[in-house]
Amino acid sequence: MHRSRRSGKTSGSSRALSRLPLAAAICFAVSTAAYAQEAAAPQDAQAPQAQTTPAPAAPAPQRTATLEAVTVTAQKRTENLQKVPISLEVLGEEKLDELNVTDFDDYVKFLPSVSYQTFGPGFAQIYMRGVASGGDGNHSGSLPSVGVYLDEQPVTTIQGPLDLHIYDVARVEALSGPQGTLYGASAQAGALRVITNKPDPSGFAAGYALELNSVSHGGMGHVEEGFVNIPLTDTAAIRLVGWNQHDAGYIDNKPGDRQFPIRIDDGGTPADPSDDVPASWGGVLTNRNCTSTPQLVCTGRAEDDYNDVDTTGARLALKVDLNENWSITPTLMGQNAVANGNFAFDEEVGDLALNHFYKERSEDNWWQAALTVQGKIGNFDLTYAYAHLKRNDDVDSDYNDYGFWYDTLYSYSAYNDNGDFINPSQYIQGKDRYKKDSHELRLSSPAEDRLRLTAGLFWETQKHDIQQRYKIDGFADIYSIHGWPNTIWLTKQEREDHDEAIFGEVSYDFIPDVLIGTIGGRHFRSDNSLKGFFGFSAGWSPNSSYGEAVCVAQFGPDPANWPSFNGAPCEVFDKEVKESGNLGKANLTWQITPTKMIYGTWSEGYRPGGINRRGTLPPYLSDYLTNYEVGWKTSWGENRLTFNGSLFHQEWKDFQFSILGANGLTEIKNANQASIDGLEMDVNWAATYNLQLGAGAAFYDAKLTENYCGFTDDNGNPVTDCPDPEAPDGTQLPVTPKFKGNLIARYNFNIGSFDSFVQGAVVHVGDRKSDLRLLERSILGDLPAYTTADLSAGISKNSWSLSVYVNNVFDERAQINRFTNCAETVCGAAGVVPEYPNGQVYTVTNQPRTFGVRFSQEF
């Protein structure tokens, strides 16, 4: 989806083109450079004249072509990017402006180390460095392997990170590889940090930006953004930021009908529930506007461009310098995003189209109160960071594929109170309530000391109230969950994930400013629990080991005697997993010259184990990642060129793997061992004062190193010795491509008194596997490689700027994710239904070609 840009600076927008080769982008940069140099000649000729009359004009002062220094806080200290011995990609404020970045989808494509899957806004699963099993992200699944931070505070919930609107943001940092010692459990494979602009007491500032855009095959979108920085005293200021955005839809819910199987009894007449032969409804479900009958169900949900999004949010920060050593910064931030429709399409229906029949909508509403205290104790820097996050997600999902495909293959049926067959289609009403509190207290010794220390304490608790209600209209009361009409299945659970740790890193200059050694460690304790109700009614499934059958077995057949669990009939299970352990890190850095360094690192990361949503299954175990890395950071030609990179080998032990099991429930198992070998590089070049080029690339070989058999032993350990593994040793891990890269070229020049620019950006992502398991992979199909490109141009003068852009110029259909709405072997069954010869597989794609114009001004 397109989200537009921001306030501040002369900004160039950019987004996605496709099929523009890298060579064309370089030619584009060179040709625009030649044009701009010619255009600049008259301007250069206007240099001040010498005071003596006959003297010739003095040459214009030469502007130096250099790259700006980038400051980061990735290691909990303020440092120059080129001095930080870790693989670190940074998009600074100016680059975010130039690339027209507004949300996660916008910036992640320019981070080669990051891959992701998504089902729509607010539901992204992030992976780094190939550490991807392809099955994370369920509301009661594994914790994410990549942590996302807003300033000092973690904002990663169990289903994934907040979809932060990127406006008035100082930079985005991507820390590749395990960050276990400083960031803990949610940074097993890396961390993303979004650093906002802070209140500034030194002066008043304000700005706003307006955008209008049009999406090919879709509608019109718009963005309104603004900020104001108000000094209150010489030592205090507030900063208020707000945004409102409408993203146009581009997926069509086409008018369509679904004929359910008609089954005939032995006498040649339609079967009824009293027959012994399989039987079912046999009617028609349509999304058209019509009048329903017992054999025709009309939902009226057909609509073009129905996946639009409305996002509104604000951030208020106060900074008070209590004295020259101490300051406090409380922040309150919130956002509400309402997304309609579905962000996937069905290839059998058509490009950017599907046939769905029930309400599809999500509302992601969250707010965070945070407090950062910074000061000094002696000559040590002290930082305390606290955050309270509350996130409410309400989701309506069409789930009629489940009833249709299970009916087609297994005579799945549903009944009303009269015992008549009814339309068995399901839809889901989900409510997820998250609460998260985190505290971090750390001390850092002076950065100029030969022996340096950063040490701290961390405490975090995340609670998740889960409600998933699977409904069938007209479903018989005797078969519905007690107290929940029309509900064939109910999940009502409470999950709590608690983590506490003590951590630290010590650095020592063996040779001052030349040879530096660092060791770090983290001791952690985690306590993760899940309890509640899941399952069918006793009437529908009387012999089950879960659901109301458990209530009957424990408390008798009368529901009045069942002790309710948060409105559910009873508590079916209550399980807890506790563990503790240690993580380590060691680094040796050689600063060969002031502008060139090499380093070697050994580091560890982990992800806690937990309880399966289907509580009758055994818990899943923690998984660990060990990283061996050598890297370099170099600057050349008086900082005109930087060339950074790293070469690494990672070992992923007993990694957690989520699948859709029985009844469409997520099951998490440990899937043995994998390894990832990789190379990451980035280069930035100030070719001339006007022309800057930037490129990034990542190469990965991510594969299993033992068989995945698909089951574990009684202790939850993965089994590797089986005659027919679901994924044999050497199988490529899903989601991550073997290559991902980007190239950005920007040329600034003058047109009269206006500052102007043209820019091109190209992103290439290699082909990816859709699933770890070979059978499911063959059903879903691979995710093919794609190349997208963006073009933008603009002018500015004094305080205002105007830019235009075309994103995804060639209207590429980049496949981000492929999935089915029930087990792949059911919803992906080939040849069962004529209109779905290859099964019913959905594809999540990028936003089609988008044209936009943007105006911004600062005061």
Side-chain angles (χ1 to χ4, degrees), residues 12-213:
S13 2
S14 93
R15 203 84 63 176
L17 284 200
S18 353
R19 298 196 191 95
L20 183 62
L22 298 184
I26 295 173
C27 292
F28 165 78
V30 173
S31 64
T32 54
Y35 164 77
Q37 287 170 347
E38 293 173 1
Q43 175 96 357
D44 295 341
Q46 297 174 8
Q49 299 290 322
Q51 296 302 314
T52 54
T53 320
Q62 295 297 310
R63 291 177 171 178
T64 307
T66 60
L67 299 170
E68 291 186 3
V70 178
T71 299
V72 297
T73 53
Q75 295 193 122
K76 312 274 188 176
R77 295 176 180 270
T78 301
E79 300 171 286
N80 186 313
L81 169 65
Q82 292 301 108
K83 301 293 184 180
V84 181
I86 62 175
S87 182
L88 177 61
E89 300 162 310
V90 179
L91 298 175
E93 182 170 19
E94 185 174 355
K95 185 61 67 176
L96 292 169
D97 289 344
E98 292 173 356
L99 295 173
N100 203 29
V101 168
T102 294
D103 63 6
F104 172 79
D105 290 344
D106 294 338
Y107 69 75
V108 73
K109 67 182 180 181
F110 296 107
L111 301 174
S113 65
V114 182
S115 302
Y116 74 105
Q117 292 179 304
T118 185
F119 296 95
F123 293 91
Q125 298 98 56
I126 307 174
Y127 311 103
M128 295 184 73
R129 279 196 169 177
V131 183
S133 61
D136 303 333
N138 183 272
H139 58 84
S140 53
S142 302
L143 285 168
S145 62
V146 174
V148 178
Y149 287 76
L150 176 60
D151 294 319
E152 293 283 347
Q153 291 80 14
V155 292
T156 306
T157 60
I158 294 165
Q159 79 171 25
L162 304 179
D163 195 355
L164 299 169
H165 184 89
I166 305 298
Y167 178 71
D168 194 47
V169 164
R171 64 186 178 276
V172 174
E173 300 177 359
L175 291 66
S176 300
Q179 306 297 321
T181 54
L182 291 182
Y183 291 94
S186 291
Q188 179 191 42
L192 296 177
R193 304 179 73 234
V194 178
I195 311 300
T196 62
N197 287 324
K198 304 302 185 292
D200 183 2
S202 66
F204 174 85
Y208 69 92
L210 303 172
E211 179 180 316
L212 186 66
N213 56 71

Side-chain angles (χ1 to χ4, degrees), residues 490-539:
L490 178 66
T491 299
K492 189 72 171 172
Q493 296 174 346
E494 289 182 355
R495 174 172 176 169
E496 182 170 333
D497 293 78
H498 178 74
D499 182 33
E500 53 191 50
I502 179 171
F503 64 89
E505 289 191 355
V506 178
S507 297
Y508 180 71
D509 295 351
F510 295 105
I511 303 175
D513 300 323
V514 176
L515 189 62
I516 304 103
T518 299
I519 58 171
R522 189 181 189 97
H523 176 72
F524 64 85
R525 293 189 301 182
S526 64
D527 184 353
N528 301 331
S529 63
L530 184 67
K531 62 181 179 180
F533 178 91
F534 71 99
F536 299 106
S537 70

Side-chain angles (χ1 to χ4, degrees), residues 524-742:
F524 64 85
R525 293 189 301 182
S526 64
D527 184 353
N528 301 331
S529 63
L530 184 67
K531 62 181 179 180
F533 178 91
F534 71 99
F536 299 106
S537 70
W540 185 257
S541 184
N543 299 316
S544 176
S545 60
Y546 47 87
E548 287 188 353
V550 176
C551 305
V552 172
Q554 292 183 351
F555 309 107
D558 187 356
N561 296 326
W562 297 349
S564 175
F565 177 85
N566 292 347
C570 71
E571 183 179 285
V572 172
F573 75 104
D574 183 352
K575 290 187 176 182
E576 182 178 23
V577 172
K578 293 183 178 182
E579 60 184 322
S580 63
N582 301 289
L583 302 173
K585 173 184 176 181
N587 172 275
L588 185 64
T589 300
W590 180 20
Q591 192 75 50
I592 304 172
T593 73
T595 60
K596 298 172 182 63
M597 73 145 76
I598 59 174
Y599 66 87
T601 298
W602 166 82
S603 56
E604 293 181 311
Y606 98 109
R607 182 168 47 167
I611 310 300
N612 269 289
R613 175 184 176 190
R614 185 189 297 275
T616 51
L617 295 176
Y620 51 94
L621 308 175
S622 297
D623 55 3
Y624 288 81
L625 183 69
T626 304
N627 175 59
Y628 306 90
E629 176 176 352
V630 293
W632 65 92
K633 292 200 171 179
T634 62
S635 299
W636 305 80
E638 297 181 350
N639 204 36
R640 290 186 59 183
L641 174 72
T642 62
F643 176 45
N644 302 335
S646 63
L647 182 68
F648 63 87
H649 171 76
Q650 296 183 143
E651 296 176 355
W652 195 10
K653 181 180 179 182
D654 296 339
F655 68 87
Q656 297 165 15
F657 181 50
S658 303
I659 64 170
L660 282 179
N663 311 119
L665 287 186
T666 297
E667 298 179 2
I668 306 167
K669 301 175 181 179
N670 293 88
N672 299 321
Q673 324 308 319
S675 70
I676 304 100
D677 295 313
L679 171 65
E680 298 167 346
M681 298 182 293
D682 66 81
V683 60
N684 290 281
W685 180 32
T688 68
Y689 173 77
N690 305 79
L691 175 64
Q692 289 201 359
L693 301 174
F699 302 84
Y700 299 114
D701 180 18
K703 60 188 179 183
L704 287 179
T705 54
E706 290 184 0
N707 291 336
Y708 170 62
C709 294
F711 56 93
T712 61
D713 61 24
D714 293 340
N715 296 319
N717 297 302
V719 174
T720 62
D721 187 10
C722 54
D724 190 17
E726 295 186 20
D729 179 4
T731 299
Q732 182 179 337
L733 298 184
V735 181
T736 300
K738 291 188 175 181
F739 171 75
K740 179 182 179 183
N742 65 75

Side-chain angles (χ1 to χ4, degrees), residues 736-800:
T736 300
K738 291 188 175 181
F739 171 75
K740 179 182 179 183
N742 65 75
L743 173 65
I744 304 169
R746 183 181 179 88
Y747 194 82
N748 298 289
F749 58 98
N750 295 329
I751 300 178
S753 61
F754 294 97
D755 295 324
S756 309
F757 78 90
V758 290
Q759 179 174 279
V762 179
V763 174
H764 177 80
V765 177
D767 65 280
R768 292 135 294 141
K769 304 303 180 182
S770 56
D771 200 281
L772 177 67
R773 301 158 296 172
L774 299 187
L775 174 59
E776 284 74 10
R777 178 184 295 183
S778 68
I779 294 170
L780 294 172
D782 289 344
L783 300 168
Y786 64 88
T787 302
T788 63
D790 308 330
L791 294 177
S792 59
I795 58 173
S796 64
K797 186 175 183 180
N798 299 326
S799 64
W800 62 266

